[in-house]
Amino acid sequence: MTLPRYEEMWHRADDAWARAARPARTLIKVGVATCSRVVGAEETLSALRREVEARGLDADFMVTGCLGLCYAEPLVEVVRPNAPGVLYQSVTADKVASLLEAVAAGGIAREYALAVIGDRESGGLPALNSLEFVLGQVRRLMANCGVTDPENIDHYVARGGYEGLVRALQMKPVNVIDEVKKSGLWGRGGAAFSTGLKWEFLYNAKRQPKYLICNADEGDPGSFVNRNLMESDPQLLVEGMVIAGYATDAQQGYIYIRDEYPLPVERMELAVQQARERGLVGENILGSNFSFELEVVRGAGSYVCGDETGLLSSLEDRRGMPKIKPPFPAQAGVFAMPSNINNVESYTNVPLIMRHGADWWAEMGSEKHKGTKMFSLSGQVQRVGIVEVPLGTSTSDVVMRMGGGPPEGRKLKAVQPGGPLSGVVPASDVDIPLEPDPYRERGVLMGSGGLVILDDTNCIVDLCIYFEWFAEDESCGRCTTCFAGTRRMLEILRRISSGRGRLADLELIKLLGSIAQNANCFHGQGAPTAVMSMFRFFEDELLEHVERKRCPAKVCRGLVRYEVVHYSDRLPAAEAICPTNAVVRDNGTYRIDQLKCIKCDACREQAPYAIAVVDEFQPAATTLTR
Amino acid sequence: MFSQASHNSRLTPVEPAAGSTELLARISELIEDLSPDRVDLLKAFHRIQHEFGYVPREAVPLLAGKFRTTPAIIFGTIDFYSELRMAPAAETTVDWCSGPACLLKGSLNIRRALEATFECEMNRTSADGRFGLRLVQCDGTCHLAPLVRHHGRYIGPLTVSESIEWARRLTGDDRRAPPEDGARPAADEASPELAEPVEAE
């Protein structure tokens, strides 16, 4: 079967892409995604337009997505004809004039230049692919991120987009499923279940209509890989879902995006509309007799809607409370009809498998887990951003080399691999490969790939309080073990952090942790994971809180106190900044009024020599001025 | 309690509650083209909240009629989602990010400082109704951690002192800003650099 409509579309797209890939005159590419918008990429773009016009420069503009280098945003790339593009970092609107000055003179604005695109250094600038952050990455899912215009379907098609769909449409649905099974793709959302097998369940379901749902409710705080894919290359997800629809005989797809992601909602809606105009979504796709409808649904702020059955309830116009399984979604999902739910990353891998074949796809990755995976880096790390690496890459390579590790002079303490329900691994285990099994051995879940890094200024009890608070706050309220268990756990942890912890609490926490396993959905079952990791890896620190009433990192509010320990000229500034007037002047000396002090640290920021954080329950004489 | 059966049972639409005629007419107009069992309820909430800034109480019976369910279920659904609110937000609402990256970089200190400066608890409005603090979830802009958002503007990375000064400017507190570096004694060299926060419109 030939698909003449695709041939025609490809030729048209190729012309459009050639103008961006091999520009005849200077092309200025500005990355506009959530991470760059918040640091002013849109202002940079309009300043560039103004400035180019004012100077009468000969240049075109293009909006791209995000390269993953969030720490260097806003990124601007200047491509001249027949030369590699030069990437400039942190180009805020005020830097545009001096940047364009250098560019207009035919040179490179050195003070902002980050790298040249490609593998080879040029003009004294390093190559992008040789930067610590990029070296070792395998960009398959992210091949278009930051390169093409996410709002232009032609760019996607010209770079091999929808080839996978064309190939799939020429196969039988069963063979498509076999190909996905052969590749060894497992769900990227955290549960790590075989995607092909899941599709087979839906394919074998007898009733119609069948629904296909994309879980883009990336609720894990500190995780933003799906956001980047949806706003930088939305067509990849559309193609993945259409292929999945063909393979499983479904006719309707929903992409459920969380409310906190306005730009991905906007770009996905546009992408679906463009695909529909080209006949890639809708009736008789590419002239075949397969029809598939796709709709973007915007959530309204709920973490448990990221659980697959919670998402189903939310789609059914109700509270997004997870349902009891069985029946599994493949038998009775949304509207009690057969459904399949996959993560954004699971669907977006499928076009690559269909385009290049399962064998090519499985070349990357470890023995057991094939393919690449995107990870976001945040917390105490020098380079915050998104990387894509083959599964099985060592965690330290990603955290310490690509991310640059904790800030100067601090030590890595722990890594939280994916979401508040995933637990933490200590710094001593940071060499383990990034794949589910080594993490599971340590009682930790690899989750969806949001790496949050802790250093020695962070307190593990404080972090566990956050996780338990989050679990309690987002609990749907169905299971007592979850909504009451997390609340009880939170109370106990807060008691420990306020200095009233007792040894019996430790047993009580363990008991609560095992009771939580009886909750219906993973939200309740996973809630104590972080606390259990604390017992496993940071028991000394916990005991220090309970037995000696001391917080080694000096974070827990109930265990520390602020004191004036020296005299310094900065003390008046500390007095001025205090929001509760707790820095008091008495006869020319200063002291902290402990009843007023809210322990916000502002005074110590102003006068770090004079004011110190001391242990609440330690003799203060060791630190006070004599 | 919220089983499929009770949801789908075709109940008689409830009589719309009292409310100004224009308000009711406008809400009906907004949800005109929506229908039950087509994943439209969230869309209805978003449209109404976009129009009024919150979901007015009067909308609940109208939505119940439209989606063939009970006002209790509509109310429960609104209550479930943290981004939907049933009362207008304060004139100046500051969003405080609760995410882990912000937490590890000291966002709890900023929270305490903001609560004290605005004299307002988290998720509440100050006594004069001018200021509100809202807890929001992480949206992955962690390169700005710790951050607050104000009318769609992201402000970060913030130190506690910067957040207090910024909040005081909002409240119109004309207390003098802390003295500039000049007179800093040598012993104070260990003080952290006060980096300029990035402010984007």
Side-chain angles (χ1 to χ4, degrees), chain A residues 67-69 71-72 87 89 114-116 118-119 125-139 377 381-389 393-405:
Chain A
L67 271 171
L69 286 74
Y71 65 96
L87 203 59
Q89 63 175 335
L114 175 70
V116 285
D119 295 315
L125 288 175
L128 176 66
N129 293 349
S130 73
L131 293 183
E132 287 282 27
F133 190 77
V134 186
L135 193 70
Q137 285 197 44
V138 177
R139 291 185 170 229
L377 290 163
V381 65
Q382 292 186 19
R383 290 185 282 268
V384 173
I386 300 162
V387 297
E388 183 181 353
V389 292
T393 305
S394 108
T395 310
S396 67
D397 200 32
V398 173
V399 172
M400 301 305 285
R401 190 176 61 77
M402 296 182 187

Side-chain angles (χ1 to χ4, degrees), chain A residues 416-431:
Chain A
Q416 185 238 100
L421 312 179
S422 70
V424 292
V425 288
S428 54
D429 281 351
V430 78
D431 286 326

Side-chain angles (χ1 to χ4, degrees), chain A residues 434-481:
Chain A
L434 269 169
E435 57 180 321
D437 296 343
Y439 280 89
R440 204 172 291 138
E441 282 162 23
R442 287 161 178 81
V444 175
L445 196 82
M446 201 178 82
S448 56
L451 300 174
V452 179
I453 289 100
L454 279 76
D455 72 11
D456 50 5
T457 60
N458 300 127
C459 170
I460 197 77
V461 178
D462 190 53
L463 189 74
C464 284
I465 290 178
Y466 166 73
F467 290 145
E468 285 309 313
W469 164 80
F470 185 83
E472 190 257 356
D473 191 54
E474 295 289 348
S475 174
C476 81
R478 184 197 289 277
C479 313
T480 315
T481 49

Side-chain angles (χ1 to χ4, degrees), chain B residues 109-129:
Chain B
N109 288 337
I110 292 177
R111 172 182 174 161
R112 286 170 210 149
L114 290 180
E115 284 178 337
T117 315
F118 289 130
E119 294 175 13
C120 159
E121 275 175 48
M122 189 55 69
N123 286 332
R124 294 279 186 281
T125 309
S126 62
D128 58 4

